[in-house]
Amino acid sequence: MGAALRTRITQLLGIDHPILGGGLMWLSDARYVAALVNAGCMGFITPRSYASEADFRDALALCTELTHGKPFGVNLTLSHRPEANSMVPRWMDASLGHGVKVFETAGHAPAELIKALHKANAVVVHKASSIRHALSAERAGADAIALVGMEEGGHPGMNELPTMLMGALAHGQFSVPVVLGGGIGRGNQLAAVLAQGLDGVLIGSRFLVCEEIQTHPRYKEHLLTCDEHSTVRLLQSLGTTWRVLLNDTASQVQAIERAGATEYAAFGDLISGTVARDRCYAEGDWRNGLVSLGPSIAFANRIEPLQDIVNGMVDEAVQAIAALRSMHSQNGMEQE
Ligand SMILES: Cc1cc2nc3c(=O)[nH]c(=O)nc-3n(C[C@H](O)[C@H](O)[C@H](O)COP(=O)(O)O)c2cc1C
């Protein structure tokens, strides 16, 4: 499929479709990111998912091979715990050294990182869950903003506002391109985002059932049974909201929170991210672990190549835009 929807984000990143696949801990590996790029979108490898820097470098090399040299991105997520960021400069240098030019930054206090990436002429899409943080990232030099609402799978921050409202609030406030994320999984939503005057969408959950994501088939099959009530937001009590699959672990965490816990220690291993990797993604035991997921999983009804999901979304967006256009011209004719 050729480019159908050209926006400032497709121009900035040199992609066909105004669709970004956000970084996914444990899952956005070389194969998935290459599938996004080859489908005309942009994707971001998550270095935190790799056991060593050498493994991460191997992933960069594999992605270059699978994309036949087309540009792809790297996600650099900054933790609020400084000790958890010690590898960020190494990952940045490894990526730049490999020729990566596009970064999705996320998390706490990104100004220094944005500055360092700009020194190397990289393009930075900063992901923020509040207008205030997004505006400060723009002031710090971000080339584009990914604004996410409370529907987002993963860590939507302490923001309580839904994506649609965030988009409307963003309108006219930014001079750089803005893409909207959180709960987006259909082409008519992409059309709605463009109608809001924004530049594209950022997607995570809807793409989890694509063939190229490396998770256990039992987990993917379970995702197909999920609806819009299958996820829950947890850990607001710790100030680190996490939207996850509603499973046994999520229910246990919910119960501990309701009992008044406000310290990490109260949750023990229940909130360790490696449980999702080892039990759910590797073994298909989706009942255990906090597994990042948002309600747009309701739109997934089959396991299919990523290219097919993307093509379906773009087709639907184009049809929605045409329907709006014809609605407008019909009204015009009636008035004449
Ligand atoms: C399984 C999963 C893992 C994620 N891991 C990360 C991550 O490591 N870093 C990050 O910046 N965002 C992460 N996110 C958020 C996504 O990049 C993206 O912002 C989000 O999925 C968009 O909302 P949606 O899930 O409603 O489509 C994750 C999301 C999911 C579903």
Side-chain angles (χ1 to χ4, degrees):
M1 181 193 283
L5 299 167
R6 205 170 282 282
T7 71
R8 293 188 303 162
I9 201 74
T10 62
Q11 279 160 9
L12 178 70
L13 303 180
I15 51 180
D16 290 338
H17 308 305
I19 300 175
L20 315 187
L24 306 175
M25 187 65 179
W26 309 126
L27 303 178
S28 55
D29 59 8
R31 280 178 210 289
Y32 172 63
V33 170
L36 280 163
V37 168
N38 292 333
C41 310
M42 181 51 70
F44 304 92
I45 296 183
T46 44
R48 283 186 191 277
S49 305
Y50 293 90
S52 69
E53 193 181 327
D55 288 353
F56 171 53
R57 285 176 186 273
D58 288 347
L60 294 173
L62 178 60
C63 202
T64 295
E65 189 187 318
L66 295 173
T67 54
H68 312 289
K70 276 200 206 165
F72 63 87
V74 165
N75 171 291
L76 295 174
T77 299
L78 293 165
S79 169
H80 62 283
R81 291 177 299 124
E83 68 279 12
N85 294 327
S86 60
M87 281 298 288
V88 171
R90 303 278 296 262
W91 292 324
M92 180 182 85
D93 288 345
S95 308
L96 292 168
H98 187 81
V100 174
K101 286 285 181 216
V102 187
F103 291 83
E104 177 192 44
T105 57
H108 190 70
E112 286 304 309
L113 180 59
I114 294 173
K115 209 155 88 188
L117 289 166
H118 272 171
K119 266 200 191 136
N121 295 320
V123 172
V124 180
V125 181
H126 182 71
K127 182 159 62 187
S129 57
S130 76
I131 302 272
R132 192 163 55 88
H133 289 143
L135 284 169
S136 86
E138 184 186 41
R139 280 195 299 277
D143 303 283
I145 296 295
L147 198 57
V148 288
M150 49 96 82
E151 298 94 320
E152 182 195 32
H155 294 278
M158 294 303 278
N159 168 36
E160 297 284 328
L161 299 178
T163 301
M164 186 86 177
L165 179 63
M166 298 278 282
L169 291 169
H171 183 79
Q173 294 216 52
F174 295 87
S175 52
V176 297
V178 177
V179 301
L180 209 53
I184 292 175
R186 291 195 55 167
N188 51 15
Q189 290 174 292
L190 167 58
V193 169
L194 300 180
Q196 283 190 311
L198 304 179
D199 301 279
V201 294
L202 175 87
I203 292 179
S205 300
R206 171 66 184 93
F207 289 159
L208 291 175
V209 295
C210 75
E211 284 178 1
E212 294 85 351
I213 287 252
Q214 309 286 306
T215 54
H216 196 283
R218 229 182 350 252
Y219 177 52
K220 278 195 196 167
E221 290 296 337
H222 179 66
L223 288 177
L224 298 181
T225 70
C226 289
D227 65 16
E228 65 275 27
H229 304 295
S230 302
T231 75
V232 61
R233 286 190 313 150
L234 301 172
L235 300 181
Q236 289 97 327
S237 57
L238 300 185
T240 57
T241 309
W242 196 352
R243 188 184 275 281
V244 295
L245 173 70
L246 181 50
N247 62 5
D248 293 356
T249 306
S251 300
Q252 283 170 275
V253 169
Q254 228 173 3
I256 296 171
E257 270 196 295
R258 282 185 184 143
T262 54
E263 303 279 336
Y264 279 91
F267 299 92
D269 283 347
L270 286 174
I271 59 174
S272 155
T274 53
V275 183
R277 178 193 64 189
D278 299 339
R279 302 287 296 272
C280 177
Y281 299 151
E283 295 172 8
D285 173 11
W286 52 265
R287 289 189 174 80
N288 281 293
L290 289 189
V291 187
S292 293
L293 186 69
S296 62
I297 196 59
F299 300 122
N301 48 22
R302 73 176 77 91
I303 296 163
E304 59 191 329
L306 186 68
Q307 177 86 65
D308 293 356
I309 303 177
V310 168
N311 287 353
M313 284 191 72
V314 174
D315 282 349
E316 191 178 71
V318 169
Q319 281 169 30
I321 292 165
L324 289 176
R325 207 176 271 137
S326 89
M327 201 183 289
H328 174 256
S329 57
Q330 276 169 22
N331 289 346
M333 275 160 58
E334 279 159 17
Q335 280 164 17
E336 277 168 16

